[in-house]
Amino acid sequence: MAGVNTPYLIIDLDKIERNARTVVDLCAQHGITVTGVTKGVCGHPGVASAMLRGGVASIADSRMKNIQRLRNACLDTALILLRVPPLSAVNAVVELADLSLNSELPVLEGLSAAAIRTGKTHDVIVMVDFGDLREGIWPDDVIAFVREAISLEGVRIKGIGTNLACFGGVVPSEANMNQLAALASEIEHRFEMTLEWISGINSSGLELITSGRMPRRINHARIGEAILLGRETIHRKPWPDTFQDAFVLHAEILELKQKPSIPVGERSEDAFGHLPVFEDRGDRRRALINVGREDIDINGISPRDSRIDILGGSSGYLVLDVTAVKDHIAVGDALSFTLNYSALLAAMTSEYVTKYTLNGSAHSVEQ
Ligand SMILES: *Cc1c(COP(=O)(O)O)cnc(C)c1O
């Protein structure tokens, strides 16, 4: 794109809005409210706004810097801290986030003290671990946890939740969602309270919803990848009526030459301590482009031109085999790539990648 420094990431906000609409409509048919998750885009306010136009009820992010960025953008919505808060940051959490996900009593006590000091009420979701082994209280310990938590002033238990398919790869199922719902009922019964949110799923739960087996009690979802990249996350299949290319990375050809396909000379490790393996395919036409491991997950990007192969990369270069493209490319051309979640995360985080947003006929460059 003329006048924009390479490499750059084009963010199509209309596609994100439409992806959000598809997910929100599906969830609404099953009585599920959707919070849009922006941690894959560093809390990008434009992306959050597109999600909100697409109908999400609130925005969540895992990092306080991103929550601050979203807060500064004055979006008219509640902001949720998705990663369990650090004890050292309870004051900032109460100040900047409307709700946080929690699993530790000392942290809840800190949030309580911070809330009392500022005269606020801080909402919390109590996270339960149903076997994925990332954050959350083990189910057996939840009742004791809630008994302590309800005595704390300034914090209000808005609901309970669980996160699956993130660390252990555990699939959300009718069984574990029923366990969550049963635990919610037990808490309500024992402590004579109402839990507003039973927050069961992320993008890995969409198939369970469409299968019709999602228990009715589950009424909240926290969705990132399905909105950003148009995929459910159990099989990483494209989700119907969503775009997979709301984000497209463009990098520029710096060098284009015919070279052998195996290195010449005695060999040791590459720049990252690996011993690369090469296949002798004779002389090949190779392109160097100006993105590398510092900007992307090199296993997580796909050339939009399927004739191009990624051979590997170092911190600042990606090496491509472009033999099949013949003479249709030249030094100075930009090549485009779609991204998976980890590549998106890296590209959004890299200050070397310019972010360029499209919004109807309007567009703007950042950084
Ligand atoms: C990242 C995250 C999500 C969103 O996950 P996706 O797979 O991107 O939908 C939801 N909940 C929690 C707690 C998370 O950390």
Side-chain angles (χ1 to χ4, degrees), residues 37 39 82 101 127 134-135 163 166 201-204 222-226 233 341:
V37 174
K39 70 182 185 215
L82 208 54
L101 273 41
M127 291 303 279
R134 203 180 70 176
E135 79 276 38
N163 194 59
C166 267
I201 56 160
N202 52 34
S203 298
S204 66
R222 312 167 308 267
I223 306 283
E225 183 161 346
T233 56
Y341 196 81

Coordinates of all heavy atoms in Angstrom, one line a residue, residues 37 39 82 101 127 134-135 163 166 201-204 222-226 233 341, ligand 1:
V37 N -13.2 -10.7 23.5 CA -11.9 -10.8 24.1 C -10.9 -10.2 23.2 O -10.7 -10.6 22.1 CB -11.5 -12.2 24.5 CG1 -10.1 -12.3 25.0 CG2 -12.5 -12.8 25.5
K39 N -7.5 -9.7 23.9 CA -6.0 -9.9 24.3 C -5.2 -10.3 23.1 O -4.0 -10.1 23.1 CB -5.9 -11.0 25.4 CG -6.2 -12.4 25.0 CD -6.1 -13.3 26.2 CE -6.3 -14.7 25.7 NZ -7.0 -15.6 26.7
L82 N -9.4 -10.5 32.5 CA -9.6 -11.9 32.2 C -8.6 -12.8 32.9 O -8.8 -14.0 33.2 CB -9.5 -12.1 30.7 CG -10.2 -13.2 29.9 CD1 -11.6 -13.2 30.2 CD2 -9.9 -13.0 28.4
L101 N -11.7 -11.9 36.9 CA -11.8 -13.3 37.2 C -10.9 -13.7 38.3 O -9.7 -13.2 38.3 CB -11.4 -14.1 35.9 CG -12.5 -14.4 34.8 CD1 -13.4 -13.2 34.6 CD2 -11.9 -14.9 33.5
M127 N -13.4 -18.4 39.4 CA -13.0 -19.4 38.4 C -12.8 -20.8 39.0 O -12.2 -21.0 40.0 CB -11.7 -19.0 37.7 CG -11.9 -17.7 36.8 SD -13.2 -17.9 35.5 CE -12.3 -18.8 34.3
R134 N -5.2 -24.8 34.1 CA -4.7 -23.5 34.2 C -5.3 -22.8 35.4 O -5.1 -23.4 36.5 CB -4.9 -22.8 32.8 CG -3.9 -21.6 32.6 CD -4.2 -20.9 31.3 NE -5.4 -20.1 31.3 CZ -5.8 -19.3 30.3 NH1 -5.1 -19.2 29.2 NH2 -6.9 -18.6 30.5
E135 N -6.0 -21.7 35.3 CA -6.4 -21.0 36.5 C -7.7 -21.7 37.0 O -8.5 -22.3 36.3 CB -6.7 -19.5 36.2 CG -8.0 -19.2 35.4 CD -7.9 -19.3 33.9 OE1 -7.2 -20.3 33.4 OE2 -8.5 -18.5 33.2
N163 N -12.5 -22.1 32.4 CA -11.8 -21.9 31.2 C -11.2 -23.3 30.7 O -10.5 -23.9 31.5 CB -10.7 -20.9 31.3 CG -10.2 -20.4 30.0 OD1 -11.0 -19.9 29.2 ND2 -8.9 -20.6 29.7
C166 N -7.4 -24.4 27.0 CA -6.3 -23.5 26.9 C -4.9 -24.0 27.3 O -3.9 -23.9 26.6 CB -6.6 -22.2 27.8 SG -7.4 -21.0 26.8
I201 N -17.7 -20.8 28.6 CA -16.9 -21.2 27.4 C -16.1 -20.0 26.8 O -16.4 -18.8 27.1 CB -17.8 -21.8 26.3 CG1 -18.9 -20.8 25.9 CG2 -18.3 -23.1 26.7 CD1 -19.5 -21.0 24.6
N202 N -15.2 -20.4 26.0 CA -14.5 -19.5 25.1 C -14.8 -20.0 23.7 O -15.8 -20.7 23.5 CB -13.0 -19.4 25.4 CG -12.4 -20.8 25.5 OD1 -12.8 -21.8 24.8 ND2 -11.4 -21.0 26.4
S203 N -13.9 -19.7 22.7 CA -14.2 -20.1 21.3 C -14.2 -21.6 21.1 O -14.7 -22.1 20.1 CB -13.1 -19.5 20.4 OG -13.1 -18.1 20.4
S204 N -13.8 -22.4 22.1 CA -13.8 -23.8 22.0 C -15.2 -24.4 22.2 O -15.4 -25.6 22.0 CB -12.8 -24.5 23.0 OG -13.2 -24.2 24.3
R222 N -16.9 -16.0 26.8 CA -15.9 -15.0 26.6 C -15.2 -15.4 25.3 O -14.5 -16.5 25.2 CB -14.9 -15.1 27.7 CG -15.6 -15.1 29.1 CD -14.6 -15.5 30.2 NE -13.9 -16.7 30.0 CZ -14.3 -17.9 30.4 NH1 -15.4 -18.0 31.1 NH2 -13.7 -19.0 30.1
I223 N -15.4 -14.6 24.2 CA -15.0 -15.1 22.9 C -13.9 -14.2 22.2 O -14.2 -13.0 22.1 CB -16.2 -15.2 21.9 CG1 -17.3 -16.1 22.5 CG2 -15.7 -15.7 20.6 CD1 -17.1 -17.6 22.5
G224 N -12.8 -14.7 21.9 CA -11.7 -14.0 21.2 C -11.5 -14.5 19.8 O -12.0 -13.9 18.8
E225 N -10.9 -15.7 19.7 CA -10.4 -16.2 18.4 C -11.6 -16.3 17.4 O -11.4 -16.0 16.2 CB -9.7 -17.5 18.6 CG -9.2 -18.1 17.3 CD -8.1 -19.1 17.5 OE1 -7.5 -19.3 18.6 OE2 -7.7 -19.8 16.5
A226 N -12.7 -16.8 17.8 CA -13.8 -17.0 16.8 C -14.2 -15.6 16.2 O -14.6 -15.6 15.0 CB -15.0 -17.6 17.5
T233 N -12.1 -23.4 18.2 CA -10.7 -23.8 18.6 C -10.5 -25.2 19.0 O -9.5 -25.6 19.6 CB -10.2 -22.8 19.7 OG1 -11.1 -22.9 20.8 CG2 -10.1 -21.4 19.2
Y341 N -3.6 -17.6 15.6 CA -3.7 -16.8 16.8 C -2.3 -16.3 17.3 O -2.1 -15.2 17.7 CB -4.5 -17.5 17.9 CG -5.0 -16.6 19.0 CD1 -6.2 -15.9 18.9 CD2 -4.3 -16.6 20.2 CE1 -6.6 -15.1 19.9 CE2 -4.8 -15.8 21.3 CZ -5.9 -15.0 21.1 OH -6.4 -14.2 22.1
Ligands
LIG1 C1 -8.2 -15.9 26.2 C2 -9.3 -16.3 27.1 C3 -10.6 -16.4 26.5 C4 -10.9 -16.2 25.0 O1 -10.4 -17.4 24.4 P1 -10.7 -17.6 22.8 O2 -10.3 -19.0 22.6 O3 -9.8 -16.6 22.1 O4 -12.1 -17.4 22.6 C5 -11.7 -16.6 27.4 N1 -11.5 -16.8 28.7 C6 -10.3 -16.7 29.3 C7 -10.2 -16.8 30.8 C8 -9.2 -16.4 28.5 O5 -8.0 -16.3 29.1

